[in-house]
Amino acid sequence: MTDIPSSTSSSGPSSGRSEELTIRPDVKKRAVKIYTRYERFWHWSQALLIFILAFSGFNLHGTLSLVPFPLAVMVHTYAAILLLVLWLFTTFWNFTTGQWRHYLPQNKGLFAVIKFYAYGIIMGAPHPYSKSLARKQNALQSLAYLTFMVIIGPALWLSGIAYLLYGLWETMQNSQQIFSLVAFVHTAAAFAMITFVVIHVYMTTTGKTVFHYIRTMITGYEKIELTPAEEAYLEEQQPDMLKANE
Amino acid sequence: MTDHAAFRGLGQAFRLASAAVLLTALTSISGPVIGWSKAYASPTATADKPSTEKQITGKKPGETADHSKFEILQQDFKSGPEVTKACLSCHTEAATQVHDSIHWKWEYDNEKTGQKLGKRYVINAFCGNVASNEARCTSCHAGYGWTDMRKDPPAAPEAVDCLVCHADTQYYKKFPAKAGLPITEPMDFNGKPFKVSNLIEAAQSVSLPQRDNCGACHYYGGGGDGVKHGDIDSSLNKPSKDLDVHMAADGGNMACSACHSGSGHVWPGSRYDMEAKPQARDDEGKKLPSFAMRRMNETASCESCHTDAPHQGKTLEAIKLNNHTDTVACQTCHIPEFARGGVATKMLWDWSTAGKLKDGKPFALKDDKGHPSYDSKKGDFIYEENVKPTYSWFNGQFTYVTDNDPVDTSKPVILNALGGSANDETARIWPFKLMHTKQPIDAESKKLVYMHLFGKDSDAFWKSFDWPNAIKAGQEYMGKDYSGKFEFIETRMWWPITHMVAPSDKAVQCEECHSKGGRLEGIEGVYIPGRDDMPLINWLGYGLIILTILGVAIHTIFRIATRKQRQH
Ligand code: HEM
């Protein structure tokens, strides 16, 4: 654990639980680039846009009054368009690189992870899941991100696009009722999105240190268990994914 | 990985992130700043700048005739009808055309509601009724000598008044109490000398109607400048651009007939039957590709020139603003206030207090701004300037309370109820002046009664200030049943606001409606972002977020507490 900055180690969790207590003796921990450059770009630009969208959205909803209404509308609309483009690219990326597999739900170990966050983490129990190359996320994470990607996200962009294109369907019958419904769905999904963000941000503080996960998402590298085969393969085929052994 | 590397990584990420923030901020902010001005830059309507001092009308004058050179107009005219005779010697069809117009008949058959309307029949919330007060009220008839509303206007062709619409107003003015005739010899009105008309100059000065021609009657509805409409008063003779972009000399310099552009002495744009959401449709109701293809004598509307996508440019702002045109009338945003030209409009009129005398004599009072506040002849008033309109859904249809309809006195009686609602696809949100009045009804039949106000007889209210006699005389004149008992009730009347269009930068701002307690607070049936709470989802949503934060906080406390324990 040499890479923990001394300034944060004191606030980190006690070394009583350590992911270094490997369960299988034949696997070794290596610093591997688990988040590619695109993934990190996606993650942080999405985070920024969602913050902008949440603030501008609730500004024009009437909850906040940080900026005048028309500015909130403009900021929200432009940011929404950027986010739509980003999501379009990312969907493409996820499928062409095969990364989508990480988001498939897996029931195995879900309960263990929930149990861990419910009280294991408080009692100092080890995390029941360790990241691997084949599976970057634990069961709960997959489920959460899947919810984000197939429920909250689409609810927002579907209703958001309908909202944006009101001019195209304004002459429809009952367009006023449909418009209320669109605004309702969009606002409800926005609340869900904010709830997701709050939990998500909190979860990032539950790593080895408070900033451990955030740093991983910035640098891309994480120490994970590699089987000798994986290690050999990476050293041979994709050496840039491995950090040199310290 | 060393500590240094970690921080370098962080630094890099931070630089990246700040660049992204900047980029987003730039694109989002430059949009509105550039966009707003673009959106308003160039309306589709193009009005060429005035080349002559005359205002722009629907039809450009050919100016092939100089009326001052016509021999027949060089007579020593003794009366209005004499002039009309001369006019008709060339304009052979004019009188027949005028006879067919609402300006002549004061009659409007509303096919949609089946009501017979027009000044000849309607009882309104101002002076009430024309009937039995003719010679005074018909001073604004486009003719001469209509002294009895129970009969049609005089049939003689020369009873049409050409000059009131066509002569230079400096030479011609109808006397207020002579059934439409001007005076050619000095005479007083209400103790003050009244303008003597010069019929020869007037006859030679004719042109297409200018604003002050129309204004000679329409500015003064309700018995005084600006009293009735609020958006039509004498300030429109020489308006600044801030007051009216279309009529200002340095704006469109338009005459009334530039928009109310009809032909054959008939003009579109009557309030009795409006088009609240103009459509580009032909006579059969088929959609036309553009508003420019609508018939000439279709309702005058903003869309006639500006179309239903009036905000120009492909900017997001223009698109957003154009998204409003299906629910919000142009006037709602572009006329932020009415009575803006320095002429106050009457907002309240209480007839019930009329008739007080001081030392046996009628008197008048003014408020601290110099506006009339009491007149023995008319009662109490409230005049206001720069008034924010009242807003309502409106589909262009009014349903009037006629002299045959008993009213419900438990709440203010709306004399011209508005048609339309959010679900009516011909309705939009419109601005109005909402007139507040107290006026008399028959206390038993609960029907509006006729007030006999003007006349030389002793029953006329303005002579003897005796309500029982004045109302009885009014009812008898019209042959109406009358119980002999009257009471004053609260009435309301809607006046659509459509003139005094402000420059685009003075238009109503987004927040004035997209906020709680804003201009559109009472408007139902439409979801307005920023105004409307969605109570259920808001409570659930805020609740969910608060609970989540609470949960996270408790979780954190447990984590910290147990770690301390374990460290011990
Ligand atoms: C794909 C993304 C999105 C699109 C296309 C989109 C689009 C829109 C549009 C067009 C509006 C209406 C603005 C107007 O009045 O002109 C709106 C409102 C709003 N948006 Fe979004 N949005 C998106 C994402 C988000 C996100 C991520 C959030 C919050 C986390 C959010 C929260 C809101 C809220 C609260 C409103 C106000 C709703 C109301 O009061 O009617 N939006 N959005």
Side-chain angles (χ1 to χ4, degrees):
Chain A
M1 284 192 60
T2 50
D3 60 340
I4 297 169
S6 51
S7 60
T8 55
S9 65
S10 59
S11 65
S14 87
S15 52
R17 89 184 152 83
S18 164
E19 290 172 30
E20 266 169 52
L21 290 175
T22 48
I23 304 129
R24 295 173 297 168
D26 59 330
V27 292
K28 229 163 86 183
K29 281 215 153 185
R30 289 287 303 265
V32 182
K33 193 202 273 181
I34 58 163
Y35 298 123
T36 64
R37 188 187 292 239
Y38 181 77
E39 239 168 328
R40 284 173 283 146
F41 164 75
W42 161 33
H43 177 268
W44 289 113
S45 53
Q46 170 173 290
L48 178 71
L49 287 172
I50 286 175
F51 265 89
I52 293 173
L53 283 164
F55 277 102
S56 58
F58 279 93
N59 196 310
L60 71 91
H61 185 60
T63 309
L64 305 169
S65 36
L66 306 171
V67 297
F69 181 88
L71 184 60
V73 170
M74 290 309 127
V75 170
H76 194 79
T77 312
Y78 281 115
I81 292 169
L82 287 180
L83 186 59
L84 285 176
V85 171
L86 180 68
W87 279 352
L88 214 67
F89 264 110
T90 302
T91 306
F92 184 71
W93 177 87
N94 264 321
F95 282 99
T96 51
T97 59
Q99 289 288 327
W100 57 275
R101 284 190 197 88
H102 291 289
Y103 299 95
L104 282 183
Q106 63 191 88
N107 291 330
K108 201 170 72 157
L110 178 63
F111 187 65
V113 178
I114 294 175
K115 214 167 81 178
F116 167 74
Y117 283 112
Y119 49 86
I121 190 170
I122 292 163
M123 310 319 288
H127 200 294
Y129 172 83
S130 44
K131 279 197 176 79
S132 75
L133 255 196
R135 195 75 199 187
K136 294 196 282 200
Q137 297 152 358
N138 67 47
L140 187 62
Q141 254 179 320
S142 301
L143 196 67
Y145 297 165
L146 199 69
T147 309
F148 177 93
M149 284 173 145
V150 305
I151 300 176
I152 302 176
L156 271 171
W157 65 254
L158 279 171
S159 59
I161 289 172
Y163 214 139
L164 202 59
L165 300 183
Y166 169 74
L168 296 185
W169 51 271
E170 64 184 21
T171 51
M172 246 163 74
Q173 272 218 320
N174 301 324
S175 59
Q176 289 319 309
Q177 280 81 351
I178 300 169
F179 180 66
S180 319
L181 184 71
V182 165
F184 183 90
V185 169
H186 196 72
T187 310
F191 278 121
M193 172 68 93
I194 291 170
T195 307
F196 174 90
V197 168
V198 171
I199 297 174
H200 177 71
V201 170
Y202 176 66
M203 291 303 241
T204 66
T205 68
T206 61
K208 266 186 284 194
T209 70
V210 171
F211 293 110
H212 175 81
Y213 289 144
I214 290 177
R215 205 177 45 195
T216 302
M217 192 42 98
I218 292 171
T219 63
Y221 286 96
E222 169 73 302
K223 279 201 161 181
I224 60 170
E225 292 169 354
L226 290 183
T227 60
E230 281 174 335
E231 190 175 11
Y233 172 84
L234 286 179
E235 265 173 356
E236 179 76 26
Q237 297 293 327
Q238 288 181 299
D240 58 318
M241 280 190 61
L242 281 177
K243 225 173 222 170
N245 255 334
E246 291 121 64
Chain B
M1 195 183 182
T2 66
D3 294 358
H4 271 93
F7 281 117
R8 234 179 304 138
L10 261 171
Q12 220 165 6
F14 180 74
R15 272 195 300 279
L16 253 167
S18 33
V21 176
L22 230 110
L23 208 83
T24 323
L26 272 178
T27 37
S28 339
I29 291 165
S30 67
V33 172
I34 301 165
W36 283 125
S37 50
K38 257 201 221 143
Y40 292 122
S42 56
T44 325
T46 49
D48 13 346
K49 283 275 168 268
S51 53
T52 65
E53 54 194 274
K54 290 279 180 243
Q55 298 154 6
I56 291 169
T57 60
K59 289 187 294 184
K60 267 204 165 148
E63 297 190 338
T64 53
D66 180 350
H67 284 78
S68 67
K69 293 184 180 149
F70 292 166
E71 228 165 86
I72 198 165
L73 298 182
Q74 287 162 5
Q75 317 170 40
D76 186 16
F77 293 115
K78 289 278 181 295
S79 73
E82 268 182 43
V83 178
T84 300
K85 250 189 197 150
C87 302
L88 295 177
S89 68
C90 291
H91 299 276
T92 55
E93 306 311 306
T96 324
Q97 291 178 343
V98 171
H99 283 163
D100 239 3
S101 73
I102 193 171
H103 277 137
W104 181 258
K105 292 184 182 164
W106 285 10
E107 192 175 287
Y108 190 93
D109 283 309
N110 188 327
E111 288 163 14
K112 290 171 192 147
T113 59
Q115 289 188 316
K116 204 170 196 54
L117 304 172
K119 296 169 87 67
R120 193 172 166 184
Y121 304 101
V122 161
I123 296 180
N124 75 9
F126 290 86
C127 299
N129 47 287
V130 178
S132 82
N133 305 307
E134 284 86 352
R136 178 76 184 85
C137 306
T138 53
S139 66
C140 270
H141 182 236
Y144 301 119
W146 192 7
T147 51
D148 192 341
M149 277 301 118
R150 297 167 298 188
K151 299 185 193 135
D152 288 340
E158 61 269 25
V160 169
D161 183 352
C162 305
L163 294 178
V164 70
C165 302
H166 292 283
D168 190 325
T169 54
Q170 62 173 312
Y171 305 121
Y172 186 82
K173 195 168 186 184
K174 285 152 101 64
F175 191 78
K178 278 184 171 298
L181 287 161
I183 49 168
T184 47
E185 302 293 333
M187 198 171 177
D188 282 2
F189 179 68
N190 278 350
K192 282 186 215 123
F194 191 81
K195 185 189 190 75
V196 179
S197 294
N198 183 335
L199 295 177
I200 304 159
E201 291 286 0
Q204 297 184 3
S205 73
V206 293
S207 69
L208 289 180
Q210 303 292 294
R211 286 193 301 274
D212 52 359
N213 289 116
C214 307
C217 290
H218 291 279
Y219 294 160
Y220 301 95
D225 197 0
V227 165
K228 191 187 275 176
H229 289 277
D231 63 336
I232 307 177
D233 61 48
S234 66
S235 68
L236 292 177
N237 279 339
K238 287 199 173 68
S240 67
K241 213 168 170 176
D242 268 1
L243 177 58
D244 193 299
V245 289
H246 298 105
M247 303 191 212
D250 54 346
N253 196 33
M254 294 182 193
C256 305
S257 55
C259 299
H260 298 273
S261 63
S263 57
H265 288 100
V266 175
W267 286 267
S270 167
R271 191 170 32 83
Y272 287 120
D273 184 9
M274 294 172 61
E275 205 181 353
K277 186 158 143 189
Q279 306 283 333
R281 294 188 191 283
D282 64 14
D283 289 347
E284 276 83 51
K286 271 221 313 275
K287 209 161 164 56
L288 294 168
S290 92
F291 277 90
M293 295 171 73
R294 279 159 57 108
R295 280 184 303 134
M296 264 292 271
N297 54 353
E298 201 109 30
T299 315
S301 72
C302 309
E303 281 82 354
S304 305
C305 297
H306 295 280
T307 81
D308 60 355
H311 307 95
Q312 295 288 296
K314 293 266 182 295
T315 61
L316 188 58
E317 296 70 21
I319 294 167
K320 285 272 170 199
L321 291 172
N322 284 339
N323 278 352
H324 289 75
T325 59
D326 66 319
T327 43
V328 182
C330 309
Q331 290 87 337
T332 297
C333 301
H334 290 279
I335 309 174
E337 289 170 351
F338 56 86
R340 292 206 313 280
V343 177
T345 188
K346 204 178 269 188
M347 297 299 292
L348 181 145
W349 188 335
D350 181 357
W351 279 101
S352 71
T353 57
K356 289 183 207 159
L357 302 174
K358 238 187 220 156
D359 310 325
K361 286 208 182 82
F363 63 99
L365 301 173
K366 291 194 165 163
D367 65 15
D368 46 13
K369 291 192 194 94
H371 304 139
S373 61
Y374 182 77
D375 189 324
S376 301
K377 287 175 160 186
K378 299 180 176 180
D380 280 299
F381 319 126
I382 294 177
Y383 276 76
E384 279 175 45
E385 284 182 58
N386 306 316
V387 190
K388 266 191 196 175
T390 306
Y391 300 91
S392 176
W393 286 105
F394 181 45
N395 64 5
Q397 282 307 312
F398 293 105
T399 307
Y400 277 73
V401 174
T402 70
D403 59 3
N404 271 329
D405 304 319
V407 298
D408 171 8
T409 54
S410 63
K411 52 184 187 293
V413 175
I414 296 163
L415 295 188
N416 59 342
L418 302 176
S421 69
N423 292 324
D424 181 342
E425 58 180 28
T426 62
R428 292 196 290 182
I429 298 163
W430 269 73
F432 293 90
K433 166 181 163 177
L434 181 57
M435 182 66 188
H436 290 60
T437 302
K438 252 187 167 174
Q439 63 192 98
I441 58 165
D442 184 321
E444 276 173 18
S445 71
K446 304 285 177 196
K447 291 176 184 173
L448 292 168
V449 292
Y450 290 84
M451 303 185 280
H452 176 40
L453 302 167
F454 173 84
K456 296 204 162 58
D457 56 299
S458 64
D459 286 335
F461 187 76
W462 292 346
K463 272 273 176 303
S464 47
F465 300 98
D466 179 346
W467 273 126
N469 277 347
I471 291 168
K472 187 159 161 281
Q475 291 293 89
E476 274 170 10
Y477 185 84
M478 288 305 286
K480 293 280 166 192
D481 294 337
Y482 181 49
S483 70
K485 287 191 212 104
F486 64 91
E487 60 179 319
F488 287 92
I489 57 152
E490 293 260 356
T491 62
R492 300 283 183 272
M493 202 166 178
W494 295 99
W495 292 84
I497 296 297
T498 187
H499 306 95
M500 298 190 176
V501 173
S504 56
D505 62 336
K506 300 265 173 16
V508 172
Q509 298 298 301
C510 308
E511 297 95 323
E512 294 183 55
C513 302
H514 289 282
S515 59
K516 295 184 175 51
R519 287 181 184 243
L520 298 187
E521 193 56 19
I523 299 293
E524 289 173 1
V526 60
Y527 175 75
I528 302 179
R531 179 196 73 166
D532 292 332
D533 271 331
M534 291 178 259
L536 179 70
I537 201 67
N538 271 4
W539 280 112
L540 285 177
Y542 297 135
L544 183 66
I545 292 172
I546 290 169
L547 282 181
T548 310
I549 291 172
L550 222 69
V552 160
I554 292 170
H555 202 263
T556 312
I557 291 168
F558 270 112
R559 267 169 71 203
I560 293 170
T562 55
R563 189 181 65 212
K564 289 225 175 94
Q565 253 173 22
R566 279 197 304 278
Q567 273 167 350
H568 285 159

